[in-house]
Amino acid sequence: MAKGGAVQETAVEPGGAERGLQARRRLVPYYLLGPAGAWLLVFLLLPMLLLAYTSLQSGGILSGGFQFTWEFSNYVDGVQQYQKFFIRSVEYSLIVTLVALLLAYPMTYWIAFYGGRWKSSLLLLILIPFFVSFVIRTIQWKFILGDNGFILGPLKNLGILPDSYHVLATPFAVVAGITYNFIPFTALPLYVALERIDKRLVEAAKDLYSSRWQAFRHVVWPLSLPGVFAAFLLTFVPATGDYVNAAVLGGPGTTMIGNIIQDKFLTQNDYPEAAALSVILMLGMLVLASLYARILGTEDSTVAAAAGGAA
Amino acid sequence: MSAVATRPREVAAEDLAPVNPPRKRWTRFLLPTYTWLMILYLTSPVFVMILYGFNAIPGDRQTPKFWGFTLQWYRDLFGVAGLTSALKNSLIVAPVSAIVATMLGTLLGLALGRYWFRGRAPVNFLIFLAIAVPEIVLGSSLLSMFVLSSTQVPLIGDVLPLGLRTILVSHIGFSIPFVAVTVRARVQGLDRSLEDAAQDLFANPVTAFYKVTLPLIAPAILAGFLLAFVLSLDDFVITNFVSGQTQTFPIWVFGATRIGLPPQVNVMGTLLFGAGLLAAVANVVVQRRRA
Amino acid sequence: MNERTDHSLRDEAVMEAIMRARLTRRGLLKGAGRGAAALGLGAFLAACAKETSEAASDPKQIFGGQPGDKINFANWPLYIDYTKDKEGNRYIPSLRDFTKETGIEVNFQEAIQSNPEFFGKLQPQLQAGQDTGWDIIVITNGRYFTALVENEWVYPLDPTKHPNFDQYAAKWAKDPTYDPNNEHSMAWQSGFTGFGVNKELVKGPVTKLDDLANPDKVGKGLVGMLKEDMPDFVMINLGIDPTTSGPVEWKEAAGWMLKQRDAGVIRQYYDQGYIDDLTAGNLSAAMAWSGDVLYYQTWAGYSNLDWIFPDDGALHWVDNMLVPVEAANPAGAIELMDYYYRPEVATAVTEWVLYLSPVPSTKQLILKDAKKAEDQNYKGYANKLLATGENPYMYPDDTLLGRTSYGRELKTDDEREEWDAIFLPISQG
């Protein structure tokens, strides 16, 4: 992620005015990130520091509060005791992200390439279901997926499914629920990346490659990689920490690390351990995401594709 | 184009249809059908919600059973105490949060996507953390921070009492990273030479930005705005912690699930959905005008 | 947005103590410098909170003086009497009458969705000695109630200021084990946890705990359990008194629950949302709160649902009104709390909420209302009122009450930890 921008700033004639311009240019990124950076510093970094601080505390809610004691055992305990929940969450989340990518890619591809002037409207159509509160949506899904609801009821009456069959309270329901909730997070970055691909590149590719599939594989797919990476990031990472779907749609054996953290925090009031688990979660995600970035090699392939395609 | 001339009519036909029939099947039927099916899938709970907004239930609380049609909940839309003000709060916070987050996030995404600067890695890291942190933990950390800071610096207690302001400020905070990542993805592939060319033609980097870069990244900005809007409108966990006594729509609805949702919730959801639909239609009209 | 009520309404001495505490905090911070202050923050705030609460722990002083103009009352959703006026606008009659009588305005908010979440919201402010913005909160007896009391985050009530309570409150509401002498709380409404049953889906009568683990009675994957109530509920039905139980008994209960889980009957462990699944027909039987099922059975037409009092006992829980520390209007708060112990007022609430009222004389008043409705030819409504008034679980006699118990209070962190270590893994599988 630390690779430089796509094109290095080429040296121009170092005339006085030019040098001034270059100097000012160097400051541009700082101006750009200034306001956002300041906001994030106060309302994101500070709470996170507080979080890290809390994670090294010990004590209890009934024992006079919590004190800072460099309690690294919170981390050790966290990993030892809750390993299986971390793993389960990653598993679920990987499935969710894969499915979401598979579902969203063709859809955004079609909208980006063939949407024409309906592009942004179609995009909006994808998103407006999410204007409605997720609580309402989840409840309606419970109605729809109910044991004798719209889908299962008729199927059971027809004898296709056994009477005791149920979708809710299974891992399937949890994964399906999370996927549903995160599709906008997947679709939007994909759309954004796909939309900027120059259509002429695709045309040229079609002329060069014998099949559309090859054209896709060699041109469109690599160019869409930054979008895929962003989509992966925005989906996989928050999905791993999700707890609502597991709580509402899940059953025994579907508990995710998010539920554990919530219990630790709200039920047990064990703030230090909850904080420690959260930090472990975040760092774990960071490791996985960096690995993924390396495998995908996003920046590099972007440059190569752009350079190659534009030639 | 075929080099071998067969019968003149056949050559002409090939000229007219530059796409092979198999391709046509994909782009004309399969993909669009798939997309519409997906849209249907995404909206299916909404349809159920709309339907149950007409449910003639005997009591006040909703159930899966459908009893019959009635318009009474539309008439009595504001009849549930607290729900109306909760909705109002959400409708105030969401657009403001989305606008501010989009402005700040776009600039940030630009900076990250195209420039190299010191501190770039930490900023990326911070954004990543913001997306990775479990909401419950961010929510409670923000609450602790607001509370602690207001006990130490009384001014903060007046400027940022727990309520709409803290909600707004928190929403902007967690939306910025999402916007930034979306814009960054777009910016990363942009051809820099376009902007350089613009700078050769125009004197001013700012103008180059407005006339060249901005239109190029506009879809990402729009996408980021929509994402931020949805994030804010929908947020429950963080909002719940920092809201003090104020309630937003998701908070109210979540609370009501303990006993049962009044149908007014469905009606409001229907109206929200309808508003979004109207926006989509308006968008089409505007695009038509431009074309 | 909430405006903090003017502190000048309170007693001078209390004010002084608070100012002293604040000044100390500021002074120390200036001297200590940022880094050190950050490290010592936790201990600081704990100490400062203690100081404030020590100074302000005399109930007479807290609840004395003139009540202020406004009371901020946080409660659960749909837990008070609602009605519509002639224009069709909703309002709360009992609160409107209170305001008419006393001139005190009440800001009633359904701000509490669950005990742990609400507690989690208030905790930082209480810990820091800040006004939470509420004068009355309603918390169920249990670990959060205990935490509030043990940490002195709620005021001890002035016993001379609740005459209605003294006169009309039920025996079970007075001097409960979780709050001896009602030092800090007065009951709002109460209920039992028992069996909620879908008569169409169970394959036989469900009356004993073991039925909930028996696939022949409840089928497979169709039972719902309540996470927070489970341990106490199971203990009661195993013949153990939860209030005096220890780790040995807890392990026994956990053993039963594991057996239940292994039998494959569990569909889900709920925080609270079981009623949706019960009404939707996704559950054959569940641990359920009496008022929930009663409402759907009697008032919402779900005749296939029933609430059953287990043969071996039910869990009795109480939602209690408490006054958090630093509340702006404690005098007004206690007046409002006591107001709800007037039989007419309590009747209005219970007729709507359908949970156990802490005022037994409401029973007669409800039956009277039923008669009135019948005379006015509102047959349907009258029948429902009648069913409510005669429901033995809404107005339990002593024998029935004798078969119920409160849950175990966990008074120290060690107890909490041990309890959680035994019980949490069962639902967290």
Side-chain angles (χ1 to χ4, degrees):
Chain A
M1 235 182 235
K3 251 311 183 59
V7 179
Q8 284 286 1
E9 286 186 1
T10 49
V12 198
E13 298 88 47
E18 278 304 326
R19 226 181 281 143
L21 182 66
Q22 273 201 42
R24 263 179 290 148
R25 262 192 153 179
R26 224 160 276 148
L27 288 179
V28 168
Y30 296 103
Y31 289 143
L32 287 180
L33 66 87
W39 198 286
L40 291 181
L41 226 62
V42 175
F43 297 108
L44 229 41
L45 187 62
L46 236 46
M48 304 258 212
L49 289 177
L50 197 57
L51 179 70
Y53 177 76
T54 309
S55 71
L56 293 173
Q57 287 184 324
S58 62
I61 194 100
L62 294 172
S63 320
F66 300 93
Q67 290 78 34
F68 187 82
T69 55
W70 295 102
E71 194 84 13
F72 284 104
S73 66
N74 288 334
Y75 285 89
V76 178
D77 289 342
V79 175
Q80 278 183 337
Q81 276 190 297
Y82 299 106
Q83 236 181 10
K84 87 165 168 187
F85 300 102
F86 279 111
I87 297 177
R88 181 186 291 159
S89 302
V90 170
E91 274 175 8
Y92 283 6
S93 200
L94 276 176
I95 302 177
V96 164
T97 312
L98 218 66
V99 173
L101 281 172
L102 282 173
L103 286 180
Y105 201 103
M107 173 172 70
T108 49
Y109 177 84
W110 186 75
I111 297 179
F113 279 70
Y114 296 95
R117 24 167 210 208
W118 313 84
K119 262 192 253 188
S120 38
S121 316
L122 284 170
L123 197 65
L124 198 57
L125 271 184
I126 295 180
L127 286 182
I128 36 176
F130 299 89
F131 281 12
V132 169
S133 165
F134 85 90
V135 185
I136 301 181
R137 277 183 277 126
T138 312
I139 293 179
Q140 306 306 329
W141 272 119
K142 281 192 93 169
F143 283 7
I144 297 176
L145 294 176
D147 288 8
N148 297 297
F150 293 129
I151 299 182
L152 293 185
L155 287 177
K156 285 187 184 175
N157 289 337
L158 289 175
I160 300 179
L161 289 174
D163 262 354
S164 61
Y165 186 78
H166 61 95
V167 169
L168 291 177
T170 61
F172 174 78
V174 176
V175 171
I178 304 179
T179 310
Y180 178 83
N181 279 310
F182 277 93
I183 287 206
F185 295 78
T186 322
L188 279 178
L190 277 180
Y191 167 78
V192 151
L194 285 170
E195 206 269 348
R196 75 143 176 86
I197 297 178
D198 195 340
K199 314 294 180 279
R200 296 170 296 168
L201 290 174
V202 186
E203 284 297 320
K206 280 190 222 165
D207 290 343
L208 291 170
Y209 295 103
S210 49
S211 81
R212 271 180 68 86
W213 171 249
Q214 285 187 313
F216 172 80
R217 218 182 75 193
H218 293 284
V219 180
V220 177
W221 170 255
L223 286 177
S224 68
L225 277 185
V228 173
F229 182 67
F232 176 84
L233 209 64
L234 288 184
T235 310
F236 175 74
V237 170
T240 316
D242 184 77
Y243 71 90
V244 177
N245 286 282
V248 177
L249 302 171
T254 62
T255 311
M256 296 173 70
I257 190 65
N259 302 98
I260 302 286
I261 294 180
Q262 188 190 29
D263 275 344
K264 271 252 172 277
F265 192 89
L266 290 181
T267 307
Q268 300 174 265
N269 297 130
D270 192 350
Y271 304 123
E273 277 212 38
L277 287 173
S278 310
V279 173
I280 298 174
L281 177 67
M282 293 195 284
L283 290 179
M285 291 296 97
L286 188 60
V287 167
L288 286 171
S290 333
L291 276 175
Y292 180 74
R294 191 148 296 188
I295 297 176
L296 217 54
T298 41
E299 249 90 5
D300 300 355
S301 66
T302 313
V303 177
Chain B
M1 260 224 286
S2 179
V4 177
T6 44
R7 284 192 321 231
R9 239 178 274 153
E10 277 173 347
V11 172
E14 261 197 313
D15 279 340
L16 287 172
V19 291
N20 312 328
R23 237 188 281 167
K24 220 177 194 160
R25 200 187 324 139
W26 271 97
T27 58
R28 268 292 172 86
F29 299 116
L30 288 175
L31 278 184
T33 316
Y34 173 79
T35 305
W36 284 106
L37 277 178
M38 276 295 292
I39 294 184
L40 196 69
Y41 159 67
L42 291 175
T43 49
S44 44
V46 175
F47 289 133
V48 178
M49 173 194 75
I50 297 178
L51 181 66
Y52 277 82
F54 296 103
N55 196 354
I57 55 176
D60 273 74
R61 314 170 196 171
Q62 252 191 89
T63 62
K65 202 161 166 180
F66 196 80
W67 298 80
F69 279 92
T70 174
L71 280 179
Q72 89 181 93
W73 311 114
Y74 280 86
R75 270 178 269 134
D76 191 29
L77 180 57
F78 300 119
V80 183
L83 176 57
T84 313
S85 53
L87 183 65
K88 210 179 4 150
N89 287 332
S90 283
L91 290 178
I92 294 175
V93 171
V96 175
S97 153
I99 292 175
V100 177
T102 307
M103 289 196 304
L104 296 181
T106 302
L107 295 179
L108 184 56
L110 257 179
L112 287 173
R114 119 181 329 191
Y115 296 98
W116 185 88
F117 52 89
R118 264 208 205 110
R120 180 184 161 139
V123 175
N124 272 323
F125 180 72
L126 181 63
I127 291 190
F128 181 85
L129 281 189
I131 299 175
V133 67
E135 280 211 307
I136 195 176
V137 163
L138 182 58
S140 75
S141 306
L142 277 167
L143 175 62
S144 296
M145 191 184 78
F146 289 135
V147 169
L148 286 182
S149 56
S150 67
T151 47
Q152 259 112 72
V153 186
L155 198 61
I156 293 197
D158 295 323
V159 172
L160 273 186
L162 291 178
L164 269 184
R165 290 186 206 171
T166 42
I167 298 177
L168 186 61
V169 142
S170 311
H171 282 204
I172 296 175
F174 69 66
S175 303
I176 290 178
F178 285 89
V179 177
V181 170
T182 311
V183 171
R184 180 182 71 184
R186 173 90 173 185
V187 166
Q188 270 170 342
L190 271 189
D191 197 350
R192 190 63 190 281
S193 56
L194 281 173
E195 208 182 84
D196 286 344
Q199 294 219 287
D200 292 339
L201 294 172
F202 309 109
N204 194 340
V206 180
T207 322
F209 175 74
Y210 271 113
K211 297 242 162 163
V212 179
T213 322
L214 203 53
L216 284 176
I217 62 174
I221 300 183
L222 178 68
F225 174 82
L226 290 176
L227 196 54
F229 189 85
V230 167
L231 278 175
S232 169
L233 199 57
D234 219 15
D235 184 66
F236 170 71
V237 182
I238 296 183
T239 313
N240 192 26
F241 273 105
V242 304
S243 60
Q245 289 185 8
T246 314
Q247 290 195 310
T248 62
F249 189 62
I251 290 182
W252 197 97
V253 172
F254 195 81
T257 58
R258 179 181 180 254
I259 294 193
L261 288 182
Q264 280 88 345
V265 170
N266 289 40
V267 176
M268 287 190 178
T270 308
L271 293 176
L272 276 175
F273 180 71
L277 212 54
L278 268 175
V281 170
N283 199 340
V284 172
V285 173
V286 166
Q287 303 284 44
R288 275 240 177 107
R289 287 253 183 84
R290 269 212 215 129
Chain C
M1 216 173 359
N2 173 50
E3 286 158 336
R4 306 273 172 82
T5 314
D6 193 357
H7 282 274
S8 61
L9 292 167
R10 273 199 287 163
D11 211 46
E12 287 301 340
V14 172
M15 276 304 292
E16 229 188 85
I18 295 168
M19 293 305 285
R20 244 186 296 128
R22 289 214 175 118
L23 285 170
T24 322
R25 231 176 277 148
R26 264 193 228 149
L28 279 169
L29 275 176
K30 268 199 201 147
R34 267 203 225 138
L39 283 177
L41 217 49
F44 247 170
L45 294 170
C48 293
K50 280 245 174 76
E51 206 183 309
T52 320
S53 61
E54 270 163 20
S57 62
D58 178 9
K60 288 256 180 292
Q61 274 193 331
I62 306 167
F63 291 97
Q66 272 293 99
D69 302 325
K70 191 163 180 220
I71 300 174
N72 293 305
F73 187 174
N75 207 334
W76 297 71
L78 302 185
Y79 220 20
I80 202 170
D81 57 320
Y82 280 105
T83 196
K84 291 203 188 111
D85 63 16
K86 288 196 202 77
E87 285 93 40
N89 300 320
R90 259 187 208 226
Y91 69 97
I92 301 171
S94 56
L95 286 178
R96 196 186 262 200
D97 293 336
F98 178 81
T99 307
K100 245 190 268 170
E101 215 183 277
T102 60
I104 307 177
E105 198 194 307
V106 181
N107 172 23
F108 181 86
Q109 299 277 356
E110 293 177 333
I112 309 180
Q113 291 94 32
S114 81
N115 289 304
E117 275 164 23
F118 194 64
F119 180 83
K121 265 178 91 157
L122 293 189
Q123 190 264 342
Q125 291 176 294
L126 290 170
Q127 178 110 57
Q130 264 192 359
D131 178 2
T132 58
W134 301 110
D135 298 300
I136 306 179
I137 60 178
V138 178
I139 304 285
T140 319
N141 67 307
R143 62 171 71 195
Y144 306 101
F145 183 95
T146 310
L148 288 171
V149 167
E150 294 290 311
N151 282 321
E152 293 176 3
W153 286 342
V154 286
Y155 284 137
L157 301 177
D158 181 346
T160 62
K161 290 227 151 181
H162 46 71
N164 290 324
F165 177 82
D166 297 329
Q167 188 177 358
Y168 295 109
K171 251 188 294 174
W172 56 260
K174 289 197 187 166
D175 194 21
T177 53
Y178 57 85
D179 189 21
N181 289 317
N182 293 99
E183 232 184 278
H184 300 91
S185 67
M186 295 203 287
W188 172 254
Q189 297 281 298
S190 171
F192 297 126
T193 305
F195 299 135
V197 162
N198 185 335
K199 292 186 276 202
E200 290 165 357
L201 289 177
V202 288
K203 303 184 206 158
V206 172
T207 55
K208 287 185 154 284
L209 183 67
D210 282 330
D211 292 337
L212 279 191
N214 185 354
D216 297 326
K217 283 242 172 144
V218 291
K220 285 220 165 196
L222 291 171
V223 172
M225 299 290 283
L226 281 169
K227 283 199 264 192
E228 203 177 332
D229 293 7
M230 291 204 292
D232 295 311
F233 184 73
V234 169
M235 277 198 277
I236 292 174
N237 279 282
L238 289 178
I240 305 169
D241 177 5
T243 55
T244 56
S245 59
V248 175
E249 291 83 16
W250 301 347
K251 294 210 180 97
E252 198 184 321
W256 187 94
M257 285 191 253
L258 283 169
K259 199 186 68 178
Q260 183 194 36
R261 202 174 77 179
D262 290 335
V265 293
I266 300 280
R267 183 191 173 92
Q268 210 173 340
Y269 292 98
Y270 295 93
D271 282 317
Q272 54 198 18
Y274 67 90
I275 195 69
D276 285 334
D277 277 331
L278 195 59
T279 53
N282 297 340
L283 293 172
S284 61
M287 279 177 64
W289 298 318
S290 45
D292 278 355
V293 184
L294 178 68
Y295 169 79
Y296 281 99
Q297 182 186 28
T298 318
W299 296 77
Y302 277 83
S303 48
N304 60 333
L305 296 182
D306 202 6
W307 189 82
I308 309 229
F309 194 100
D311 281 350
D312 298 310
L315 181 63
H316 187 192
W317 51 264
V318 185
D319 285 335
N320 303 278
M321 296 185 276
L322 297 152
V323 181
V325 290
E326 304 294 325
N329 190 359
I334 202 167
E335 197 174 328
L336 184 59
M337 283 158 73
D338 195 48
Y339 167 77
Y340 276 97
Y341 276 84
R342 289 193 206 166
E344 330 81 66
V345 183
T347 309
V349 175
T350 304
E351 272 178 7
W352 214 94
V353 172
L354 302 175
Y355 271 99
L356 246 174
S357 171
V359 179
S361 34
T362 58
K363 174 171 180 169
Q364 296 311 317
L365 292 176
I366 290 185
L367 292 174
K368 235 200 284 180
D369 281 344
K371 184 99 205 331
K372 230 196 304 179
E374 194 172 343
D375 291 338
Q376 292 176 347
N377 254 316
Y378 293 121
K379 278 269 165 177
Y381 185 55
N383 284 334
K384 289 179 180 165
L385 282 179
L386 203 63
T388 307
E390 299 191 332
N391 190 313
Y393 308 122
M394 296 258 312
Y395 294 100
D397 57 18
D398 285 338
T399 351
L400 199 70
L401 276 173
R403 291 164 60 197
T404 68
S405 174
Y406 291 126
R408 173 69 151 87
E409 277 169 84
L410 300 166
K411 286 210 180 149
T412 67
D413 277 317
D414 287 330
E415 282 188 335
R416 264 194 178 206
E417 260 181 62
E418 199 160 359
W419 175 281
D420 288 333
I422 295 175
F423 291 117
L424 266 184
I426 299 175
S427 58
Q428 272 176 357

